[in-house]
Amino acid sequence: YRDVFMTLSWLKNYNTFHVMASTWGCEEYIGPTVEEYIKRFASLKEGKIRLDRFKDEPIIVFSIDNCHFSTEEFALSPSTKWYNFKQGSAGLKYEVAISIHHQEIMWIRGPLPCSVHDMTMFRGGTSKDIKKKKVDKEAFIFQIPDGKKGVGDSGCKCFSPPTRFIAIDC
């Protein structure tokens, strides 16, 4: 379990491998091990993220929101696009949808820079695509079958079509 906790530590703290070597040991071992376990974590997505439960569910089937995670400054690409206004530091944003009727995550999208507006992210846009008006057709909004709805915060208000979300002012 040591390697799993080492990887989780890196994901949470985002320390350099040199700094992690003081806690976890040999720096040459840390890099390849962390990369291997991140690939393993990512491979779990296919088995855990499922959208096939929509068919037999009631009309309202999920709740969706964006989550901000603080990170260290991105030294290789410093920019205001990483600014997390909620926590006053650099950060990343993820879109997460959870099933209302089952204990499972239905969707995860990210990471994207915190500067991407919630509505842009919900509609399938990224910070790179704002000016080009490109849309990711694999975004969650395009996966929702007709007749099914989800609950979201006020960032969902301006959806087209509006029949896919019930926006709640928080």
Side-chain angles (χ1 to χ4, degrees), residues 47-108:
K48 296 289 181 187
I49 309 299
R50 296 179 44 208
L51 299 174
D52 58 351
R53 291 187 183 243
F54 277 131
K55 295 175 190 169
D56 301 324
E57 294 294 331
I59 293 174
I60 300 174
V61 294
F62 65 89
S63 174
I64 191 164
D65 200 4
N66 285 326
C67 306
H68 291 221
F69 292 90
S70 291
T71 64
E72 296 292 325
E73 283 289 331
F74 294 99
L76 297 177
S77 64
S79 172
T80 56
K81 72 179 182 179
W82 304 110
Y83 185 68
N84 179 349
F85 67 90
K86 289 185 178 180
Q87 297 163 340
S89 65
L92 297 169
K93 179 184 266 192
Y94 291 84
E95 176 182 65
V96 180
I98 58 171
S99 171
I100 292 175
H101 305 286
H102 303 283
Q103 294 180 3
E104 66 185 24
I105 297 172
M106 297 177 72
W107 180 262
I108 297 175

Side-chain angles (χ1 to χ4, degrees), residues 54 58-63 100 144-151 162-166:
F54 277 131
I59 293 174
I60 300 174
V61 294
F62 65 89
S63 174
I100 292 175
I144 303 168
D146 292 334
K148 302 297 179 181
K149 293 185 181 187
V151 176
T163 56
R164 297 219 172 144
F165 287 95
I166 299 170

Side-chain angles (χ1 to χ4, degrees), residues 4 12 15 26 30 32-33 35 40 42 45 55-56 59 77 80 82 86 130 135 138 151 157:
V4 172
K12 181 181 187 315
N15 290 326
C26 178
I30 293 171
T33 304
E35 289 177 13
R40 288 182 183 185
K45 180 180 176 182
K55 295 175 190 169
D56 301 324
I59 293 174
S77 64
T80 56
W82 304 110
K86 289 185 178 180
I130 291 172
V135 174
E138 297 297 316
V151 176
K157 275 187 176 180

Side-chain angles (χ1 to χ4, degrees), residues 4-64:
V4 172
F5 287 117
M6 180 175 64
T7 303
L8 292 173
S9 172
W10 182 82
L11 288 168
K12 181 181 187 315
N13 300 319
Y14 203 64
N15 290 326
T16 63
F17 296 148
H18 178 73
V19 171
M20 288 180 66
S22 65
T23 305
W24 301 98
C26 178
E27 186 175 344
E28 290 78 25
Y29 175 76
I30 293 171
T33 304
V34 167
E35 289 177 13
E36 176 189 343
Y37 275 88
I38 287 175
K39 287 177 185 173
R40 288 182 183 185
F41 292 160
S43 71
L44 295 174
K45 180 180 176 182
E46 296 304 318
K48 296 289 181 187
I49 309 299
R50 296 179 44 208
L51 299 174
D52 58 351
R53 291 187 183 243
F54 277 131
K55 295 175 190 169
D56 301 324
E57 294 294 331
I59 293 174
I60 300 174
V61 294
F62 65 89
S63 174
I64 191 164

